[in-house]
Amino acid sequence: SDLQKQEERGELFQPLVFVLLVLCSILLYFKVSLMDPGFVKPEEEEGEDKGQGVVIPQIPGDVKLRRCGYCLVKQPMRAKHCQLCQHCVRRYDHHCPWLENCVGERNHPLFIVYLSVQLVVLLWGGHVAWSGLYFEQSWEWLQHNIFLLVSFLLILIFTVVVLLLLVSHLYLISCNTTTWEFMSHHRISYLRHSELENPFDQGIILNLWRFFC
């Protein structure tokens, strides 16, 4: 059959890989959106004060850990309360409306992997859409290719968005800072009173190693 001939010629390998990448992207989406991003639990408060000075010796001593005004748990360093999730999140980065979940200490690395896989899928899909276009200045051509043209434009827009998001996150990770800390540096007590602009920065290599490993 034609399917067997295509398989013998290796023509089914690329579509199979593309489908597997799409499935991987979907699974990562649900994994990141449904998992605990690092919610602070009241029973964990006893150990919060231990090791804080070891993690950041540059933080001034007059910066006190405070209780959250919403859920009343003692916030660890770099945690923030998310009013949409109704929880304090460790190493809070941002609340992602696309995931309907916070991006925090536990799911941030998987979020980066998800963005990377999604970018590969979009680039591949954009290449396929572009290869199917041949341009002619006629109304008949536009009628026959309008769906493919709109699909390519949508893929292009999403690719730019995902690429910018991935690059910005990788930059912040390499500096060992979060989106929330980067945007609200002047309002965060442990950053505003620190002698260093970013007391968490330990060099690009060590920052990346500690984040992903």
Side-chain angles (χ1 to χ4, degrees), residues 16-27:
L16 180 61
V17 173
F18 181 77
V19 170
L20 289 176
L21 280 174
V22 172
L23 290 176
C24 180
S25 174
I26 294 172
L27 290 175

Side-chain angles (χ1 to χ4, degrees), residues 93-157:
D93 188 87
H94 71 287
H95 182 92
C96 180
W98 173 247
L99 296 172
E100 280 296 329
N101 193 15
C102 282
V103 176
E105 184 178 73
R106 294 189 62 187
N107 64 349
H108 201 170
L110 270 181
F111 178 71
I112 299 301
V113 175
Y114 165 70
L115 288 180
S116 303
V117 174
Q118 192 68 48
L119 181 61
V120 173
V121 171
L122 286 168
L123 289 172
W124 197 334
H127 171 72
V128 172
W130 178 259
S131 64
L133 286 172
Y134 59 95
F135 294 96
E136 293 181 6
Q137 294 183 355
S138 66
W139 177 249
E140 184 179 355
W141 174 89
L142 185 61
Q143 286 182 316
H144 284 87
N145 292 273
I146 184 65
F147 178 75
L148 190 59
L149 187 60
V150 171
S151 299
F152 175 76
L153 292 176
L154 286 175
I155 291 174
L156 182 62
I157 292 171

Side-chain angles (χ1 to χ4, degrees), residues 181-196:
E181 290 170 342
F182 181 78
M183 300 295 292
S184 306
H185 188 281
H186 61 287
R187 296 194 291 112
I188 302 174
S189 59
Y190 58 81
L191 295 179
R192 189 173 67 247
H193 295 106
S194 175
E195 296 178 359
L196 301 176

